[in-house]
Amino acid sequence: MPMTDASALSFLGICGSLRSGSLNARMLRAAAELLPEGVGLTVAPLHDIPLYDGDVEAQGVPAPVQALRDAIRAADALLIATPEYNHSIPGVLKNAIDWASRPPEQPFAGKPIAIMGASPGMFGTVRSQLHLRQVLVALDGRLLGKPEVMVGAAANKFDAAGRLTDETTRKHVAGLVEALKGWTLRLRA
Ligand SMILES: Cc1cc2nc3c(=O)[nH]c(=O)nc-3n(C[C@H](O)[C@H](O)[C@H](O)COP(=O)(O)O)c2cc1C
């Protein structure tokens, strides 16, 4: 039966940065504070995902990769926060997507997905997000089109404890998670 009640939606957050002070991890923490009613958010750890290697895969999918695949499959929607590295997707994130995308039943197919990103520079991860969008469309993900959340000069938008304090950005993040909720329910209807 299609789910039209939002009482139990779970979003999986994926961060394209591993560092503890990551602006993008902070963006996910802000999203968790700003979720609409009836939505939960957990963040998938990528620290233990090895580099993709077909020989390793042939021996069996590593446990952290299997855990990521299972978490993606179980989630109602994905919220990806990514930095931009050299005008594109950080290797950490692309590597995790590559692992998770392997058959059988790659878990991105049909999945509602929203992207956001933060950078200390002026372009706010726009190039990275465009590339990521292309990759996830190739995997048959259902990408949310708008709003776009591309946070430039992001270092100034968090306080010393890492909390997102910039009110405009908080509104944009709240708008994104609200739109992802609506998108998820629409795709299920
Ligand atoms: C290898 C590398 C390449 C980078 N390239 C870009 C870039 O193309 N555009 C940009 O805005 N920032 C770039 N940066 C700066 C990152 O935006 C900045 O380090 C950011 O804080 C990383 O995200 P995080 O805070 O979530 O770790 C680059 C950083 C690294 C380490």
Side-chain angles (χ1 to χ4, degrees):
M1 194 170 112
M3 181 177 167
T4 50
D5 175 1
S7 60
L9 287 185
S10 64
F11 290 176
L12 182 71
I14 297 177
C15 183
S17 172
L18 301 180
R19 70 187 190 96
S20 55
S22 163
L23 298 167
N24 288 281
R26 292 172 180 183
M27 289 288 288
L28 284 175
R29 286 203 287 278
E33 284 176 23
L34 295 165
L35 290 173
E37 210 179 317
V39 179
L41 173 74
T42 55
V43 177
L46 300 186
H47 292 77
D48 296 329
I49 305 284
L51 286 177
Y52 177 76
D53 179 337
D55 293 338
V56 172
E57 184 182 24
Q59 303 296 313
V61 175
V65 173
Q66 192 56 52
L68 177 64
R69 284 172 61 93
D70 292 346
I72 293 170
R73 189 169 294 110
D76 293 303
L78 306 183
L79 176 60
I80 301 179
T82 186
E84 175 175 289
Y85 281 0
N86 298 315
H87 297 192
S88 191
I89 308 164
V92 161
L93 179 59
K94 181 63 165 54
N95 179 64
I97 291 171
D98 290 342
W99 261 121
S101 72
R102 300 294 294 149
E105 295 175 31
Q106 65 90 358
F108 296 101
K111 191 69 65 180
I113 305 173
I115 300 172
M116 62 181 176
S119 162
M122 294 311 294
F123 295 105
T125 74
V126 59
R127 296 159 295 210
S128 174
Q129 289 196 37
L130 286 172
H131 288 180
L132 181 58
R133 200 168 276 277
Q134 182 181 338
V135 167
L136 293 168
V137 166
L139 291 172
D140 211 17
R142 300 290 187 260
L143 276 293
L144 179 68
K146 288 197 187 310
E148 295 174 306
V149 178
M150 296 162 173
V151 184
N156 309 326
K157 293 178 177 165
F158 298 84
D159 67 15
R163 184 168 183 274
L164 180 63
T165 47
D166 182 73
E167 273 312 317
T168 305
T169 308
R170 287 183 74 81
K171 279 192 191 118
H172 289 154
V173 172
L176 183 69
V177 288
E178 179 72 47
L180 182 59
K181 172 184 168 183
W183 180 230
T184 304
L185 293 175
R186 220 161 84 210
L187 288 173
R188 286 177 168 223

